Amino acid sequence: MRFAFTDDQKMLRDTVRDVLRRECSPEVVRDAWEGKTEGARSAWNTLAQTGLIGMTASEGAGGMSMSELDLLLPLEETGYAAMPGPIVDTAAVGIPLLEAAGTDAQRERWLGLAAAGEARIVVSFEDREMVPHAASADILIAERGGAGYCLPIDEVSVVPERSVDRTREVGKVAFEPSPSYRMREDVNTVALFALGRERAALATAAQLVGLSRRMLDMAVQYAKDREQFGKPIGAQQAIKHRLANALIEQEFARPTVYRAGWSLATGARDAEVDVSLAKIYAGQAAKFVAKQALQVHGAIGYTIECDLHMWMKRAWALAAAHGDAAHHRERVGRHVL
Amino acid sequence: MRFAFTDDQKMLRDTVRDVLRRECSPEVVRDAWEGKTEGARSAWNTLAQTGLIGMTASEGAGGMSMSELDLLLPLEETGYAAMPGPIVDTAAVGIPLLEAAGTDAQRERWLGLAAAGEARIVVSFEDREMVPHAASADILIAERGGAGYCLPIDEVSVVPERSVDRTREVGKVAFEPSPSYRMREDVNTVALFALGRERAALATAAQLVGLSRRMLDMAVQYAKDREQFGKPIGAQQAIKHRLANALIEQEFARPTVYRAGWSLATGARDAEVDVSLAKIYAGQAAKFVAKQALQVHGAIGYTIECDLHMWMKRAWALAAAHGDAAHHRERVGRHVL
Amino acid sequence: MDLNFTDSENAFRRECRSWLEANVPSQRLPSGDTKEGFALHLNWENKLFDAGWAAVSWPKEYGGREATLFEWLIFEEEYYRVGAPSRVTQNGIFLLAPTLFEFGTDEQKSRILRPMARGDVTWGQAWSEPNAGSDLASLKSTARRVEGGWRLTGQKTWSTRAAFCDMAYGLFRTDPDQARHRGLTYFMFPLRAEGVTVRGVDRLDGDEGFAEIFLDDVFVPETEILGEVHHGWKVAMATTSSERGLSLRSPGRFMAIASRLVNLYHRFRDRSDPVLRDQVIQAWMDAQVYRWFTYQTVTRMAEGEEIGPDSSMNKVFWSEMDVRTHETALAIIGDALELDEASPSAVDAGDWMRGFQFALAGPIYAGTNEIQRNIIAERVLGLPRK
Amino acid sequence: MDLNFTDSENAFRRECRSWLEANVPSQRLPSGDTKEGFALHLNWENKLFDAGWAAVSWPKEYGGREATLFEWLIFEEEYYRVGAPSRVTQNGIFLLAPTLFEFGTDEQKSRILRPMARGDVTWGQAWSEPNAGSDLASLKSTARRVEGGWRLTGQKTWSTRAAFCDMAYGLFRTDPDQARHRGLTYFMFPLRAEGVTVRGVDRLDGDEGFAEIFLDDVFVPETEILGEVHHGWKVAMATTSSERGLSLRSPGRFMAIASRLVNLYHRFRDRSDPVLRDQVIQAWMDAQVYRWFTYQTVTRMAEGEEIGPDSSMNKVFWSEMDVRTHETALAIIGDALELDEASPSAVDAGDWMRGFQFALAGPIYAGTNEIQRNIIAERVLGLPRK
């Protein structure tokens, strides 16, 4: 029993953290909100150059064969930076699906590009036609009627919707399920997409932890800086306890996410229960931290001139994505009771 | 629309308050805990002499024909004092039931005595064999198989149980449902007992409000008196907010109980929904205030040398009695959804 | 205690209801916190005033109906029940007007009230400054006495809808030798005068609902002072206590939201689990309980009692109830909660997310809930200040 | 990261389990916080020690097994899983012993540890005084130097089980010229010596679990000082941080309670509504999450890291989880919740109400949760003290 990441895993996290600190500042996120995505694209490309977009691809395909567990800390950092773009869909879900279920032609055409960060993948599970980043992606992988499809985005109808988090560029996708898009039929497609759902939920949970950490950092900094009645508001016990509670929620969510990463990576029994716990606690923590951070910021946090709102809105969206609390609690309930 | 008690109702409350302040001190409650019930009996008798035990009886039977609404503030005071004894069963439920459903002989034998406080009534609803104060009561009124029974307690088998609140003297009652105990058959027994249940729930809610008020008073006083780090603990913002939250819970429960009293007294439509709200909010508030009061008292509140525990334990018992939160929420749910 | 409405109260309700049902715009107006929406809302406010519904509790001479407090609550219940547009005049009618009635001269009242209620002259509040939010007494804007009046200088912020308004009101330090609560004066001032710059600030929900106001030696005549010079704090406290109390949040608002929530639950029943069902019940119950609490308070007010710090309990309760209720709605909606009014697939045009964001401001504005809890603890429970 | 137990850890678990299953008393012992129950519990502790399970992490020379931290957690999981008796020796083994290992002399360790772990000499803590609870540094008891030792005078309170114990430990002011944290010394002292009066105090749950200790010029030899004279604060902080940290509350305890709750739910399923079901799920999940959090912390400790103020997060989490879990159980039980072990109709002999009352102490003792939150805010988040 050893509940800690390896030095390699921490080094990878540090690399991602450094890249994002340099290239994905709040200004870059703010630009993406206004449709100016050059900065975010550039951060994506730098991550790709260091091999981080394709890290789950096999080494033959230009990747590092990394597991769900290896992916957690890098994804947490993308949440911390509120990085725009379909990194969950591409790195955590799409590339492994393409590799496991893509036809030779599909893999040949797309896998290397995806692993190099040059083709962005979005994934549409059965009955989930609403897909973030659909319009700006290059490839859609979709599950329809128990079969897998893989097609270039320009052959997909994408009806734009609008998220409270403008960087998410949500769209409703539809396409003709033509045989030419079909993925392999000699694999257990249903099981592979089911695994994809687990990976999506887990990866989202990791991002939620990162979002929490950043919002808490912002709130703590603000509480130290902002003075009222002649002293920093962070000296008030009500503010202290609010932020202490936020930290507790966040810090208990973290190992829960890490545990789920280990379970999925090692194929542990009841791994899906662990994934549900991860999603529930990470979503709950992020929403809770958002609320505390907003209250600590007061009216300033209530404007879009303050960066906080971009993190809060991402948190609200992700807490509901890939199974909201009700969905995952029901799954845990069936296991426990 | 006027949401306030009349001067008469407030005067009655003041009378009860004065009697209980004099005759039902914490020492009297503590004595009752240890089986020494003389003091509590004496308080009961004084309340009876001022007409307050029999107030719901008709004037012909020595009462004041008072309504469920009139009864609320006096009962709230009995909660404030944690008065031992079956006052809810006798005054709020038993006397009206006896008067409405008792045979001439039963009424002749018991009603005057009950109204004068000389015969204490306990009530056992269908499927509720656990009855507080059974052993020390004089009369049992019971609903069995849709019929009403009224009999002297010495003809009832009472198997003693023990409550966390020792003054409640809970017992399990059983008796031979002989025709000689039958109450009137020419009335709607089921409806009358159903009304009795509403009255029991409402009266209990009123007592819960009184319990809350006393626990909060104790906690506020303690927070003013107890010093730590050189100043009263009540100067700490965490203590302030804890007690402010307790006050809010309590003060929103109060009008909810009063509304239910008015609804029952005037036969308002959906009165039972109002009763459920009253029981839910009063129970919730009392449990919440108990928890805050205990935390404010710290270790001292955790001993039975501190009076607080007698109020807390009464609150826990009453919050679950006559329909717990789950029961009443379900009833409201059926109305709303 | 009589919790039935009187015949005349019922008649009043019928009159409200039938007028509102006949006149409320059938099309939802765009948000009143945007420039175009603000103008459309003013049309509605004109109509409301002309029919005598803009300020039902005001004296008839100013366009009101001299309604009782309970009639006012009835009006609000009906107003929200029918889903009528939000009131862009509220910072005038509900915050400034009560202060005018208490401290204003006859000249001020007859000049200001009717145009305010009709929406012909619109008012924003100018309480906060960048470093004086909850700690209002630390404000730094000044007023300097000049021939025939005063000159105002300073910066105000979080002024709701001030980007679209004509006038504003706030406190300025008139005696530089006094500190904190002393030496302040309550001024009304024009937003479109020389020396005034108003910069809109987008809120969380994307609307330009806030503004910053920069004042650079702006002239206002003597007639624009409310109450006495140097004694503005007392005047302002009357306004903020009405802001914190009943006026902004009548029970009708929350009863209407609870009804909409019940309706939402029914529409999504197949995917709403029993826990969500219970939260819907809770929301409905909370709105009821808030109603009884408020009726009790209004009875005390109607009978001449001062409410004082008790109103802090209202503020904490409704603001946190409002957040919970919207959270429940979003949980029912599930992952479509993120879609806004520009989305074809949005549930109820994204209203619940918009309402949620608006609700999140509740625990912050009009005195944060931290401050309200301090007030409750110190002034109601009597706990020591330090 | 490897969240599988190793072969040797699994072997350790099997060994614990089979010994415990064979030896745990089949009859529930009466509460260890009563005089008769205490004696029966000591019999059990003897047996536990003789089989080498009393203090698994101790060196073998003192009767331990030199178990790793994870093996200790495994032992605890098995201990609670099988429902073994609560440990009346815990104030010795889990609070005093770690301090002895850190600050004790060889003579002290070889004299004190084995009898402590075997339950032959029983230990109570004597931290609090009537006016020094959370503010421990304000204590007033004194120790005066005399020929060959010291004389202790003062009053201690909230001493768990001290009414039945042989010895206690606590801080006394040895330098009257120093204030607060300075000039204090950590003493071990006899409870049955001349000048000591112990008065039992009944707890909320009716057990005589607390005691007050009155000391009137009680002699203790020099050998009973732990650490240096006048430097007791540092020694005490080591104890209280172990009290606040892992030692009192291993995950196994809460996993066992969660399992019992699931079992209770199944038995009362027909009257448990879906909301209660959800709360049962929550309780189960919280115990899991607490387990992962603790495993993460224990890994850090095993790798030599100092945990420090992070342990305050454990304390807040488990203490509030424990209250919630018991509240859920009581809600399932319904109005029979009030019946205690003397009642024929009590559910599970009233254990849940008893456990609830015990749980309510969690947010109070070992540093109130208010203090823990201050620590988290100031020492982990770095917020300003004043």
Side-chain angles (χ1 to χ4, degrees), chain D residues 321-332:
Chain D
M321 161 174 71
D322 201 25
V323 173
R324 280 196 306 275
T325 302
H326 282 91
E327 284 172 340
T328 300
L330 294 180
I332 290 173

mmCIF file of all heavy atoms in Angstrom, chain D residues 321-332:
data_model
loop_
_atom_site.group_PDB
_atom_site.id
_atom_site.type_symbol
_atom_site.label_atom_id
_atom_site.label_comp_id
_atom_site.label_asym_id
_atom_site.label_seq_id
_atom_site.Cartn_x
_atom_site.Cartn_y
_atom_site.Cartn_z
ATOM 1 N N MET D 321 -18.592 13.880 10.154
ATOM 2 C CA MET D 321 -19.126 12.675 9.508
ATOM 3 C C MET D 321 -19.788 11.772 10.546
ATOM 4 O O MET D 321 -20.871 11.229 10.315
ATOM 5 C CB MET D 321 -17.983 11.925 8.820
ATOM 6 C CG MET D 321 -18.269 10.464 8.508
ATOM 7 S SD MET D 321 -16.937 9.681 7.550
ATOM 8 C CE MET D 321 -15.610 9.552 8.731
ATOM 9 N N ASP D 322 -19.149 11.611 11.683
ATOM 10 C CA ASP D 322 -19.663 10.698 12.704
ATOM 11 C C ASP D 322 -21.030 11.177 13.204
ATOM 12 O O ASP D 322 -21.950 10.369 13.392
ATOM 13 C CB ASP D 322 -18.647 10.634 13.849
ATOM 14 C CG ASP D 322 -18.797 9.382 14.688
ATOM 15 O OD1 ASP D 322 -19.318 8.364 14.178
ATOM 16 O OD2 ASP D 322 -18.393 9.407 15.864
ATOM 17 N N VAL D 323 -21.185 12.470 13.379
ATOM 18 C CA VAL D 323 -22.481 13.003 13.807
ATOM 19 C C VAL D 323 -23.538 12.743 12.723
ATOM 20 O O VAL D 323 -24.612 12.221 12.999
ATOM 21 C CB VAL D 323 -22.387 14.517 14.126
ATOM 22 C CG1 VAL D 323 -23.770 15.097 14.392
ATOM 23 C CG2 VAL D 323 -21.468 14.759 15.319
ATOM 24 N N ARG D 324 -23.200 13.077 11.483
ATOM 25 C CA ARG D 324 -24.166 12.867 10.384
ATOM 26 C C ARG D 324 -24.587 11.413 10.277
ATOM 27 O O ARG D 324 -25.766 11.107 10.082
ATOM 28 C CB ARG D 324 -23.530 13.254 9.035
ATOM 29 C CG ARG D 324 -23.504 14.722 8.718
ATOM 30 C CD ARG D 324 -23.218 14.951 7.219
ATOM 31 N NE ARG D 324 -22.013 14.299 6.736
ATOM 32 C CZ ARG D 324 -20.793 14.824 6.824
ATOM 33 N NH1 ARG D 324 -20.606 16.010 7.372
ATOM 34 N NH2 ARG D 324 -19.746 14.176 6.360
ATOM 35 N N THR D 325 -23.624 10.514 10.358
ATOM 36 C CA THR D 325 -23.935 9.092 10.207
ATOM 37 C C THR D 325 -24.909 8.640 11.287
ATOM 38 O O THR D 325 -25.881 7.932 11.011
ATOM 39 C CB THR D 325 -22.631 8.274 10.272
ATOM 40 O OG1 THR D 325 -21.752 8.735 9.246
ATOM 41 C CG2 THR D 325 -22.904 6.798 10.080
ATOM 42 N N HIS D 326 -24.654 9.073 12.500
ATOM 43 C CA HIS D 326 -25.570 8.685 13.583
ATOM 44 C C HIS D 326 -26.929 9.354 13.437
ATOM 45 O O HIS D 326 -27.953 8.757 13.753
ATOM 46 C CB HIS D 326 -24.932 8.993 14.937
ATOM 47 C CG HIS D 326 -23.916 7.974 15.339
ATOM 48 N ND1 HIS D 326 -22.578 8.085 15.022
ATOM 49 C CD2 HIS D 326 -24.051 6.788 15.982
ATOM 50 C CE1 HIS D 326 -21.929 7.030 15.482
ATOM 51 N NE2 HIS D 326 -22.791 6.223 16.060
ATOM 52 N N GLU D 327 -26.947 10.560 12.943
ATOM 53 C CA GLU D 327 -28.246 11.213 12.705
ATOM 54 C C GLU D 327 -29.055 10.433 11.680
ATOM 55 O O GLU D 327 -30.278 10.284 11.813
ATOM 56 C CB GLU D 327 -28.035 12.661 12.224
ATOM 57 C CG GLU D 327 -27.650 13.600 13.350
ATOM 58 C CD GLU D 327 -27.252 15.002 12.886
ATOM 59 O OE1 GLU D 327 -26.903 15.167 11.692
ATOM 60 O OE2 GLU D 327 -27.260 15.913 13.713
ATOM 61 N N THR D 328 -28.374 9.932 10.664
ATOM 62 C CA THR D 328 -29.071 9.134 9.658
ATOM 63 C C THR D 328 -29.643 7.869 10.288
ATOM 64 O O THR D 328 -30.798 7.499 10.036
ATOM 65 C CB THR D 328 -28.101 8.771 8.508
ATOM 66 O OG1 THR D 328 -27.641 9.982 7.924
ATOM 67 C CG2 THR D 328 -28.783 7.912 7.464
ATOM 68 N N ALA D 329 -28.847 7.225 11.126
ATOM 69 C CA ALA D 329 -29.330 6.010 11.786
ATOM 70 C C ALA D 329 -30.567 6.313 12.624
ATOM 71 O O ALA D 329 -31.564 5.579 12.583
ATOM 72 C CB ALA D 329 -28.225 5.414 12.659
ATOM 73 N N LEU D 330 -30.529 7.402 13.362
ATOM 74 C CA LEU D 330 -31.673 7.743 14.215
ATOM 75 C C LEU D 330 -32.905 8.046 13.365
ATOM 76 O O LEU D 330 -34.026 7.689 13.731
ATOM 77 C CB LEU D 330 -31.327 8.930 15.116
ATOM 78 C CG LEU D 330 -30.235 8.658 16.152
ATOM 79 C CD1 LEU D 330 -29.968 9.911 16.994
ATOM 80 C CD2 LEU D 330 -30.609 7.491 17.075
ATOM 81 N N ALA D 331 -32.688 8.682 12.230
ATOM 82 C CA ALA D 331 -33.827 8.979 11.356
ATOM 83 C C ALA D 331 -34.438 7.686 10.816
ATOM 84 O O ALA D 331 -35.653 7.586 10.640
ATOM 85 C CB ALA D 331 -33.390 9.886 10.208
ATOM 86 N N ILE D 332 -33.609 6.690 10.582
ATOM 87 C CA ILE D 332 -34.135 5.405 10.112
ATOM 88 C C ILE D 332 -34.954 4.738 11.218
ATOM 89 O O ILE D 332 -36.017 4.170 10.975
ATOM 90 C CB ILE D 332 -32.976 4.478 9.671
ATOM 91 C CG1 ILE D 332 -32.344 5.019 8.384
ATOM 92 C CG2 ILE D 332 -33.467 3.042 9.465
ATOM 93 C CD1 ILE D 332 -31.094 4.272 7.954
#
